Amino acid sequence: MDPVVLSVVGGGAADVETHNAEARHRFGRLYFAVGMHHNNDIASLLNWLDAQQDEMLRLVRRWAQINSGSHNLAGLAQLIADVQGEFESLGGQITLIDLPPAQSIDSAGNVVHQPLGQAIRIVKRPDAPRRVLLNIHLDTVYGPEHPFQQVQRLDDRTLRGPGVADAKGGLVVMLFALRALEQSNLAPQPGWEILLNPDEEIGSPGSGPLLTATAGRHRIALCFEPSLPDGSLVGARKGSGNFTLVVRGRAAHAGRDFHLGRSAIVAVAEFITRLHALSRQLPEGVTINCGRIEGGGAVNVVPDLAIGRFNVRVTEPAQVPVVERSLRELANELNRRDGIRAELHGGMHAPPKTLDPRSLALLEMIRDCGRELNLDLKWQPSGGASDGNRLAAAGLAVVDTMGPRGGSLHSDGEFLLIDTLAERAKLTLLTLVQLARSDAFDLLW
Ligand SMILES: [Zn+2]
């Protein structure tokens, strides 16, 4: 990319002339002006970020080679130590935070508690008038037992590996954008708080309350999930919830006493078919997927235990109670049967993220920053949920795809487009600078 010379000028700065007017975009009372020459600070920071491309790639490779599956506590601890070492250069105050264990239902239908890794908080300039919450997760969907472990350069542009895009690339983008910011003498500088959590890929069961509490100190959040392969950002996101139905019946000999048995498998099967029928009457965009069933044993025994595991997606907050009520009613129906006991566990861990006016204003501001980098940024909705859902539900303006471009996430084809590391670090830098200076953004603040 051609180096662009950028200036950030205060409102009413009449000394900025009208040449290059076409390339100039107003941000309230402040704007970047392409081609201006009287302030090279930002231009030199952007050049510095371009020069960090190899260093950024090196760090993505190193972090992707540390297995940090959500349940791999040793790997997460190793990653946290390495990440902490790199982020120390920013000069913020670092705190490691223990999380409560995640609650889940095992194959015997019992509630079990699984320990989680730690979260990292880093705070800089907490008293600055303009502060931004920066968040991304440390974990990946690939545990140590997963066959996909290798990081591999596919070609000049592409790195394939577990977590290279989701979200270790985003972690590197965040780090380098802040390194550029912190080495600058731009003023005013925004305050920032980083929250890195170890359990996003399993629905943030331990860090969810921490995210919500942290959100209470902020108005704006940037999350570093990967942007889409074509560079688009994500606007609205569906909400997501996981539910587990545990049904206990009565065991009996399938030959001698079949009539005395009460089949838990039949009950779960009926629950699923009823739910499937019902979901066709739910509002458009609401889906309920039974992803796993467990139960039974020897085929000559009427099974006394069966478990169904469900994922629910919704598009509007008002759909959440409708879906929850439907699930509960169907479970209650099973409980009215002779010899059958049903328990429903779980809930909506990620509320739907609608594109409210403040988040839209933030997206538009980031798009305008992108124009200064010759990026034509668009956004589109996604069915996938992220921690951005939770932060938006807490009232923040959120853009959650500030990470590099990548795709085939959660599969053994996961890839990162390498040259977008610098691209998105520059975009993040411009966004932070703009947020710190834009006192005209009443809507955002
Ligand atoms: Zn992710």
Side-chain angles (χ1 to χ4, degrees):
M1 196 199 81
D2 291 40
V4 261
V5 180
L6 291 169
S7 301
V8 180
V9 294
D15 58 324
V16 179
E17 302 73 20
T18 53
H19 63 271
N20 280 323
E22 283 180 13
R24 199 173 64 197
H25 311 287
R26 290 198 63 91
F27 294 135
R29 296 196 303 113
L30 300 152
Y31 53 89
F32 297 105
V34 175
M36 295 297 156
H37 43 264
H38 61 90
N39 181 346
N40 282 326
D41 287 354
I42 290 180
S44 65
L45 292 175
L46 295 176
N47 288 336
W48 181 81
L49 282 171
D50 275 328
Q52 300 305 304
Q53 180 68 41
D54 289 349
E55 187 65 16
M56 295 174 82
L57 175 59
R58 195 184 60 76
L59 200 52
V60 173
R61 292 188 85 121
R62 191 170 93 207
W63 285 347
Q65 273 156 2
I66 300 173
N67 182 289
S68 62
S70 311
H71 296 296
N72 179 5
L73 300 192
L76 280 164
Q78 190 191 344
L79 179 65
I80 285 170
D82 195 331
V83 165
Q84 189 179 350
E86 292 293 332
F87 276 77
E88 264 163 11
S89 62
L90 300 173
Q93 193 194 332
I94 302 183
T95 316
L96 297 185
I97 302 167
D98 291 328
L99 299 180
Q103 186 176 302
S104 63
I105 308 296
D106 69 10
S107 295
N110 298 316
V111 177
V112 292
H113 295 94
Q114 287 176 291
L116 295 169
Q118 289 179 303
I120 309 179
R121 165 186 291 149
I122 314 174
V123 180
K124 188 93 186 250
R125 291 183 293 277
D127 300 322
R130 298 277 184 262
R131 289 172 298 110
V132 182
L133 172 59
L134 305 165
N135 161 251
I136 193 56
H137 57 92
L138 299 160
D139 59 326
T140 71
V141 296
Y142 317 98
E145 71 296 338
H146 197 285
F148 186 43
Q149 302 288 337
Q150 281 302 310
V151 182
Q152 179 190 11
R153 183 90 178 235
L154 293 183
D155 55 45
D156 279 358
R157 295 192 60 216
T158 320
L159 187 73
R160 172 177 169 241
V164 289
D166 185 14
K168 286 162 181 174
L171 193 56
V172 169
V173 164
M174 179 201 287
L175 172 64
F176 278 77
L178 290 174
R179 279 187 179 164
L181 181 78
E182 294 301 325
Q183 70 178 252
S184 76
N185 48 17
L186 298 172
Q189 290 219 317
W192 47 260
E193 175 167 0
I194 296 173
L195 184 61
L196 308 176
N197 52 336
D199 57 344
E200 191 268 353
E201 295 290 9
I202 53 172
S204 306
S207 64
L210 179 63
L211 281 159
T212 303
T214 305
R217 293 192 284 276
H218 295 273
R219 299 282 292 150
I220 290 178
L222 301 174
C223 305
F224 289 77
E225 294 288 347
S227 46
L228 302 178
D230 72 351
S232 296
L233 306 173
V234 169
R237 287 184 184 270
K238 284 190 177 184
S240 178
N242 293 329
F243 294 83
T244 302
L245 179 75
V246 178
V247 176
R248 296 178 199 279
R250 190 188 300 146
H253 190 291
R256 274 175 56 160
D257 295 322
F258 181 76
H259 63 288
L260 295 179
R262 296 292 179 268
S263 171
I265 287 181
V266 169
V268 166
E270 288 179 1
F271 182 94
I272 292 167
T273 49
R274 279 165 190 240
L275 191 61
H276 186 66
L278 179 116
S279 69
R280 285 194 291 255
Q281 296 156 29
L282 290 171
E284 169 126 12
V286 177
T287 58
I288 304 175
N289 179 56
C290 180
R292 186 180 176 101
I293 53 175
E294 296 159 274
V299 290
N300 61 354
V301 177
V302 176
D304 63 352
L305 174 68
I307 300 168
R309 299 181 193 270
F310 304 85
N311 178 256
V312 174
R313 304 275 162 156
V314 299
T315 54
E316 301 288 336
Q319 294 162 352
V320 172
V322 176
V323 172
E324 285 180 338
R325 197 166 51 239
S326 302
L327 286 163
R328 268 199 309 273
E329 277 170 12
L330 287 175
N332 288 341
E333 211 171 280
L334 293 183
N335 273 320
R336 287 194 285 272
R337 297 185 186 185
D338 171 51
I340 294 289
R341 198 153 46 85
E343 293 163 20
L344 187 66
H345 300 267
M348 298 295 297
H349 56 81
K353 176 173 172 276
T354 54
L355 196 50
D356 67 13
R358 293 179 62 248
S359 286
L360 182 61
L362 182 59
L363 268 172
E364 287 171 344
M365 202 205 85
I366 292 169
R367 176 198 60 200
D368 290 348
C369 290
R371 282 183 182 151
E372 304 303 331
L373 302 168
N374 295 323
L375 295 173
D376 182 18
L377 293 176
K378 297 180 169 42
W379 50 88
Q380 60 188 66
S382 168
S386 85
D387 281 330
N389 292 52
R390 218 180 272 269
L391 298 174
L396 275 64
V398 182
V399 171
D400 60 12
T401 36
M402 296 302 286
R405 301 190 212 180
S408 302
L409 312 180
H410 298 192
S411 82
D412 65 5
E414 177 173 349
F415 68 90
L416 161 75
L417 295 178
I418 294 165
D419 58 3
T420 67
L421 289 167
E423 174 189 291
R424 298 294 152 147
K426 290 187 288 184
L427 181 66
T428 301
L429 174 69
L430 292 187
T431 301
L432 291 172
V433 169
Q434 191 62 9
L435 282 170
R437 296 182 175 215
S438 49
D439 43 310
F441 285 128
D442 292 343
L443 184 67
L444 277 175
W445 295 110

